[in-house]
Coordinates of all heavy atoms in Angstrom, one line a residue:
M28 N 63.7 162.9 168.7 CA 64.2 164.2 168.9 C 64.6 165.0 167.7 O 65.1 164.5 166.7 CB 65.4 164.2 170.0 CG 66.0 165.6 170.2 SD 67.3 165.4 171.3 CE 67.7 167.1 171.8
E29 N 64.3 166.3 167.5 CA 64.7 167.0 166.3 C 65.7 168.0 166.8 O 65.6 168.7 167.9 CB 63.5 167.8 165.9 CG 63.8 168.5 164.5 CD 62.5 169.0 163.8 OE1 62.2 170.2 164.1 OE2 61.9 168.2 163.1
K30 N 66.8 168.1 166.1 CA 67.9 169.0 166.4 C 68.4 169.7 165.1 O 68.5 169.2 164.0 CB 69.0 168.3 166.9 CG 70.1 169.1 167.4 CD 71.4 168.2 168.0 CE 72.4 169.1 168.6 NZ 73.5 168.4 169.2
K31 N 68.7 171.1 165.2 CA 69.1 171.8 164.3 C 70.6 172.0 164.5 O 71.1 172.4 165.5 CB 68.5 173.2 164.2 CG 68.7 174.1 163.1 CD 68.0 175.5 163.1 CE 66.7 175.3 163.2 NZ 65.9 176.5 163.2
I32 N 71.4 171.7 163.5 CA 72.9 171.8 163.6 C 73.4 172.8 162.6 O 73.2 172.6 161.4 CB 73.5 170.5 163.3 CG1 73.0 169.4 164.3 CG2 75.1 170.4 163.5 CD1 73.4 168.0 163.9
Y33 N 74.1 173.9 163.1 CA 74.7 174.7 162.2 C 76.1 174.3 161.7 O 76.9 173.7 162.4 CB 74.8 176.1 162.9 CG 73.4 176.8 163.1 CD1 72.8 176.7 164.3 CD2 72.9 177.5 162.0 CE1 71.5 177.0 164.5 CE2 71.5 178.0 162.3 CZ 70.9 177.7 163.4 OH 69.6 178.2 163.6
V34 N 76.4 174.6 160.4 CA 77.6 174.1 159.7 C 78.4 175.1 159.0 O 77.7 176.2 158.6 CB 77.3 172.8 158.9 CG1 76.6 171.7 159.7 CG2 76.4 173.3 157.8
A35 N 79.5 175.0 158.7 CA 80.4 175.9 157.9 C 81.0 175.0 156.7 O 81.4 173.8 156.9 CB 81.4 176.6 158.6
G36 N 80.9 175.5 155.5 CA 81.5 174.8 154.4 C 80.6 174.0 153.5 O 80.9 173.3 152.5
M37 N 79.3 174.2 153.9 CA 78.2 173.6 152.9 C 77.7 174.7 151.9 O 76.8 175.5 152.2 CB 77.1 173.0 153.8 CG 76.1 172.3 153.0 SD 74.9 171.3 154.0 CE 74.1 172.6 155.1
F38 N 78.4 174.9 150.7 CA 78.2 176.0 149.9 C 77.1 175.8 148.8 O 76.8 176.7 148.1 CB 79.5 176.5 149.4 CG 80.4 177.0 150.5 CD1 81.6 176.2 150.6 CD2 80.3 177.9 151.2 CE1 82.5 176.5 151.4 CE2 81.1 178.4 152.2 CZ 82.4 177.6 152.4
D39 N 76.9 174.5 148.5 CA 76.0 174.2 147.3 C 75.1 173.0 147.7 O 75.1 172.3 148.5 CB 76.7 174.1 146.0 CG 77.8 172.9 146.1 OD1 77.6 172.0 146.9 OD2 78.7 173.0 145.4
D40 N 74.1 172.8 146.7 CA 73.1 171.7 146.9 C 73.8 170.4 146.8 O 73.4 169.4 147.4 CB 72.2 171.8 145.7 CG 71.1 172.9 146.0 OD1 71.0 173.4 147.1 OD2 70.5 173.4 145.0
D41 N 74.9 170.2 145.9 CA 75.6 169.0 146.0 C 76.2 168.5 147.3 O 76.1 167.5 147.7 CB 76.7 169.0 144.8 CG 76.1 169.0 143.5 OD1 75.0 168.5 143.3 OD2 77.0 169.4 142.5
T42 N 76.7 169.5 148.0 CA 77.4 169.2 149.2 C 76.3 168.9 150.3 O 76.4 168.0 151.1 CB 78.2 170.5 149.8 OG1 79.3 170.8 148.8 CG2 78.8 170.2 151.0
A43 N 75.2 169.7 150.3 CA 74.0 169.5 151.2 C 73.5 168.1 151.0 O 73.0 167.4 152.0 CB 72.9 170.6 150.8
N44 N 73.4 167.6 149.8 CA 72.8 166.3 149.3 C 73.8 165.2 149.9 O 73.4 164.1 150.5 CB 72.7 166.0 147.9 CG 71.5 166.8 147.4 OD1 70.6 167.2 148.1 ND2 71.6 167.0 146.0
S45 N 75.1 165.4 149.9 CA 76.1 164.5 150.4 C 76.0 164.4 151.9 O 76.0 163.4 152.5 CB 77.5 165.0 150.2 OG 77.7 164.8 148.6
V46 N 75.8 165.7 152.6 CA 75.7 165.7 154.1 C 74.3 164.9 154.3 O 74.4 164.2 155.3 CB 75.6 167.1 154.5 CG1 75.2 167.2 156.0 CG2 77.0 167.7 154.3
G47 N 73.3 165.2 153.7 CA 72.1 164.6 153.9 C 72.0 163.0 153.9 O 71.5 162.3 154.7
S48 N 72.8 162.6 152.9 CA 72.9 161.2 152.7 C 73.7 160.4 153.9 O 73.3 159.5 154.2 CB 73.5 160.9 151.3 OG 72.7 161.2 150.2
A49 N 74.9 161.1 154.0 CA 75.7 160.6 155.1 C 74.9 160.5 156.5 O 74.9 159.6 157.2 CB 76.9 161.5 155.3
V50 N 74.1 161.5 156.9 CA 73.3 161.6 158.1 C 72.3 160.7 158.1 O 72.2 159.8 159.1 CB 72.9 163.0 158.4 CG1 72.1 163.0 159.7 CG2 74.2 164.0 158.7
N51 N 71.7 160.5 157.0 CA 70.6 159.5 156.9 C 70.9 158.0 157.1 O 70.2 157.1 157.4 CB 69.7 159.6 155.6 CG 68.6 160.8 155.7 OD1 67.9 160.7 156.6 ND2 68.7 161.5 154.6
A52 N 72.3 157.8 156.8 CA 72.8 156.4 157.0 C 73.2 156.2 158.4 O 73.4 154.9 158.7 CB 74.1 156.4 156.0
V53 N 73.2 157.1 159.2 CA 73.5 156.8 160.6 C 72.3 156.1 161.2 O 71.1 156.5 161.1 CB 73.7 158.0 161.4 CG1 74.0 157.9 163.0 CG2 75.0 158.8 160.9
A54 N 72.5 154.9 162.0 CA 71.5 154.1 162.6 C 70.8 155.0 163.6 O 71.4 155.6 164.5 CB 72.1 152.9 163.3
G55 N 69.5 155.1 163.7 CA 68.7 155.8 164.5 C 68.2 157.2 164.0 O 67.4 157.8 164.6
V56 N 68.8 157.5 162.9 CA 68.2 158.8 162.1 C 67.1 158.4 161.4 O 67.0 157.6 160.6 CB 69.4 159.4 161.3 CG1 68.7 160.6 160.5 CG2 70.5 159.9 162.2
S57 N 65.9 159.2 161.7 CA 64.8 158.9 160.8 C 64.6 160.0 159.8 O 63.7 159.7 158.7 CB 63.4 158.9 161.7 OG 63.4 160.2 162.5
A58 N 65.0 161.1 159.9 CA 65.0 162.2 158.8 C 66.0 163.2 158.9 O 66.5 163.4 160.0 CB 63.7 162.9 158.9
C59 N 66.5 163.7 157.7 CA 67.5 164.7 157.7 C 67.4 165.6 156.6 O 67.2 165.1 155.5 CB 68.9 164.0 157.5 SG 70.2 165.2 157.4
T60 N 67.4 166.9 156.8 CA 67.4 167.9 155.6 C 68.5 168.8 155.8 O 68.7 169.5 156.9 CB 66.0 168.7 155.8 OG1 64.9 167.7 155.7 CG2 65.8 169.6 154.6
A61 N 69.4 168.9 154.8 CA 70.5 169.8 154.8 C 70.1 170.9 154.0 O 69.8 170.7 152.7 CB 71.8 169.0 154.4
N62 N 70.4 172.2 154.4 CA 70.1 173.4 153.7 C 71.3 174.2 153.5 O 71.8 174.8 154.5 CB 69.0 174.1 154.4 CG 68.4 175.3 153.6 OD1 69.3 176.2 153.0 ND2 67.1 175.5 153.6
A63 N 71.8 174.3 152.4 CA 73.1 175.1 152.1 C 72.9 176.5 152.2 O 73.7 177.2 152.9 CB 73.7 174.7 150.6
A64 N 71.8 177.1 151.9 CA 71.5 178.5 152.0 C 71.4 179.0 153.4 O 71.8 180.1 153.8 CB 70.1 178.9 151.2
K65 N 70.9 178.1 154.3 CA 70.9 178.4 155.7 C 71.9 178.0 156.4 O 72.1 178.2 157.7 CB 69.5 177.8 156.2 CG 68.3 178.5 155.7 CD 67.0 177.9 156.5 CE 65.8 178.5 155.9 NZ 64.6 178.0 156.5
A66 N 73.0 177.1 155.9 CA 74.1 176.6 156.5 C 73.7 175.7 157.7 O 74.1 175.8 158.8 CB 75.1 177.7 156.9
Q67 N 72.7 175.0 157.7 CA 72.1 174.1 158.7 C 71.6 172.8 158.3 O 71.2 172.5 157.1 CB 71.0 174.9 159.5 CG 69.7 174.9 158.7 CD 68.7 175.8 159.5 OE1 68.9 176.6 160.3 NE2 67.4 175.6 159.0
V68 N 71.7 171.9 159.2 CA 71.2 170.4 158.9 C 70.1 170.2 160.2 O 70.4 170.5 161.3 CB 72.3 169.5 159.1 CG1 71.8 168.1 158.9 CG2 73.5 169.8 158.2
L69 N 68.9 170.0 159.6 CA 67.9 169.6 160.6 C 67.7 168.1 160.5 O 67.5 167.4 159.6 CB 66.5 170.3 160.1 CG 65.4 170.1 160.9 CD1 65.6 170.7 162.3 CD2 64.2 170.7 160.3
V70 N 68.0 167.5 161.8 CA 67.9 166.0 161.9 C 66.8 165.5 163.0 O 66.8 166.1 164.0 CB 69.3 165.5 162.5 CG1 69.3 164.0 162.3 CG2 70.4 166.1 161.7
T71 N 66.2 164.5 162.6 CA 65.2 164.0 163.5 C 66.0 162.5 163.7 O 66.1 161.7 162.9 CB 63.8 163.7 162.9 OG1 63.4 165.0 162.5 CG2 62.8 163.1 163.9
F72 N 66.0 162.3 165.2 CA 66.7 160.9 165.6 C 66.1 160.4 166.7 O 65.5 161.0 167.6 CB 68.2 161.1 165.6 CG 68.6 162.2 166.5 CD1 69.0 161.8 167.8 CD2 68.7 163.5 166.3 CE1 69.4 162.7 168.8 CE2 69.1 164.6 167.1 CZ 69.5 164.1 168.4
D73 N 66.4 159.2 167.1 CA 66.2 158.6 168.2 C 67.2 158.7 169.3 O 68.2 158.2 169.2 CB 65.9 157.0 168.0 CG 65.6 156.1 169.3 OD1 65.5 156.8 170.3 OD2 65.3 155.0 169.0
E74 N 66.7 159.5 170.2 CA 67.8 160.0 171.3 C 68.3 158.9 172.2 O 69.2 159.0 173.0 CB 67.5 161.2 172.1 CG 66.1 161.0 172.8 CD 65.5 162.3 173.3 OE1 66.2 162.9 174.3 OE2 64.5 162.7 173.0
S75 N 67.5 157.8 172.2 CA 67.8 156.6 173.1 C 69.0 155.8 172.5 O 69.6 155.0 173.3 CB 66.6 155.8 173.3 OG 66.2 155.1 172.2
V76 N 69.5 156.0 171.3 CA 70.6 155.3 170.7 C 71.9 155.9 171.2 O 72.1 157.1 171.1 CB 70.5 155.4 169.2 CG1 71.7 154.7 168.5 CG2 69.3 154.8 168.6
A77 N 72.7 155.0 171.8 CA 73.9 155.5 172.5 C 74.9 156.2 171.4 O 75.1 155.5 170.3 CB 74.5 154.5 173.1
G78 N 75.3 157.4 171.8 CA 76.4 158.0 170.8 C 75.8 158.5 169.4 O 76.6 158.9 168.7
I79 N 74.6 158.6 169.4 CA 74.0 159.0 168.1 C 74.3 160.5 167.7 O 74.7 160.8 166.5 CB 72.5 158.8 168.1 CG1 72.0 159.0 166.6 CG2 71.7 159.8 169.0 CD1 70.6 158.5 166.2
E80 N 74.4 161.5 168.7 CA 74.7 162.8 168.3 C 76.1 162.9 167.8 O 76.5 163.7 166.9 CB 74.4 163.8 169.5 CG 73.0 163.8 169.7 CD 72.6 165.1 170.7 OE1 73.0 166.1 170.5 OE2 71.9 164.7 171.7
S81 N 77.1 162.1 168.5 CA 78.4 162.1 168.0 C 78.5 161.5 166.6 O 79.3 162.0 165.7 CB 79.3 161.3 169.0 OG 79.3 162.0 170.2
A82 N 77.8 160.6 166.4 CA 77.8 159.7 165.1 C 77.3 160.7 163.9 O 77.8 160.7 162.9 CB 76.9 158.5 165.2
I83 N 76.3 161.5 164.4 CA 75.7 162.5 163.3 C 76.8 163.5 163.0 O 76.9 163.8 161.9 CB 74.5 163.1 163.8 CG1 73.3 162.0 164.0 CG2 74.1 164.3 163.0 CD1 72.0 162.5 164.8
N84 N 77.4 164.1 164.1 CA 78.4 165.1 164.0 C 79.5 164.5 163.0 O 80.3 165.0 162.1 CB 78.9 165.6 165.1 CG 77.9 166.4 165.8 OD1 77.0 167.0 165.2 ND2 78.1 166.7 167.1
A85 N 79.9 163.3 163.3 CA 81.0 162.7 162.6 C 80.6 162.5 161.1 O 81.5 162.7 160.1 CB 81.4 161.3 163.1
A86 N 79.4 162.1 160.8 CA 78.9 162.0 159.4 C 79.0 163.3 158.6 O 79.4 163.3 157.6 CB 77.6 161.3 159.4
I87 N 78.6 164.3 159.3 CA 78.7 165.6 158.8 C 80.1 166.0 158.5 O 80.4 166.5 157.4 CB 78.0 166.7 159.6 CG1 76.4 166.4 159.8 CG2 78.3 168.2 159.2 CD1 75.7 167.3 160.8
E88 N 81.0 165.8 159.5 CA 82.4 166.1 159.2 C 83.0 165.3 158.2 O 83.8 165.8 157.4 CB 83.1 166.0 160.6 CG 82.7 167.0 161.6 CD 83.5 168.0 161.9 OE1 84.7 168.2 161.4 OE2 82.9 169.2 162.6
A89 N 82.7 164.1 158.0 CA 83.1 163.2 156.9 C 82.9 163.6 155.6 O 83.6 163.2 154.5 CB 82.7 161.7 157.2
S90 N 81.7 164.4 155.5 CA 81.3 165.0 154.2 C 82.0 166.3 153.7 O 81.8 166.9 152.9 CB 79.7 165.3 154.3 OG 79.0 164.1 154.5
G91 N 83.0 166.6 154.7 CA 83.8 167.8 154.4 C 83.2 169.1 154.9 O 83.7 170.3 154.5
V92 N 82.3 169.0 155.8 CA 81.7 170.2 156.3 C 82.0 170.3 157.9 O 82.0 169.2 158.6 CB 80.1 170.0 156.1 CG1 79.5 171.2 156.8 CG2 79.8 170.0 154.7
Q93 N 82.2 171.4 158.4 CA 82.4 171.7 159.8 C 81.2 172.0 160.5 O 80.4 172.7 160.2 CB 83.4 172.8 159.9 CG 83.9 173.1 161.3 CD 84.7 174.5 161.4 OE1 84.9 175.1 160.5 NE2 85.2 174.7 162.6
V94 N 81.1 171.1 161.7 CA 80.1 171.3 162.6 C 80.4 172.4 163.5 O 81.3 172.5 164.2 CB 79.7 170.2 163.4 CG1 78.7 170.4 164.5 CG2 79.4 168.9 162.6
L95 N 79.4 173.5 163.6 CA 79.6 174.7 164.4 C 78.8 174.5 165.9 O 79.1 175.1 166.7 CB 79.1 176.0 163.6 CG 79.9 176.3 162.4 CD1 79.3 177.6 161.8 CD2 81.4 176.6 162.7
G96 N 77.7 173.8 165.7 CA 77.0 173.7 166.9 C 75.5 173.5 166.6 O 74.9 173.6 165.5

């Protein structure tokens, strides 16, 4: 499944790289692209993994960025 997540607080490429690395480390995530200019994170993941969407949101928030939806 592919999902676009809008975020607040991702102002530069360094933060986007941190978010991307954190999300890519989540089990079940196959790809992640964080774009500071668009304030969004595009994630491809295995939706059959229990709790994966919550884990993705937690990884984003742990990077200091707020998940908007």
Side-chain angles (χ1 to χ4, degrees):
M28 175 178 192
E29 188 173 87
K30 183 175 182 180
K31 189 181 298 181
I32 303 168
Y33 291 95
V34 298
M37 188 168 59
F38 300 114
D39 56 26
D40 289 339
D41 288 338
T42 307
N44 289 335
S45 295
V46 170
S48 294
V50 174
N51 275 315
V53 174
V56 171
S57 56
C59 174
T60 304
N62 186 318
K65 293 182 179 180
Q67 69 185 23
V68 180
L69 184 62
V70 187
T71 304
F72 60 94
D73 180 356
E74 61 189 293
S75 69
V76 175
I79 191 165
E80 291 191 55
S81 294
I83 291 168
N84 289 341
I87 293 170
E88 297 259 343
S90 299
V92 177
Q93 180 183 7
V94 174
L95 300 176

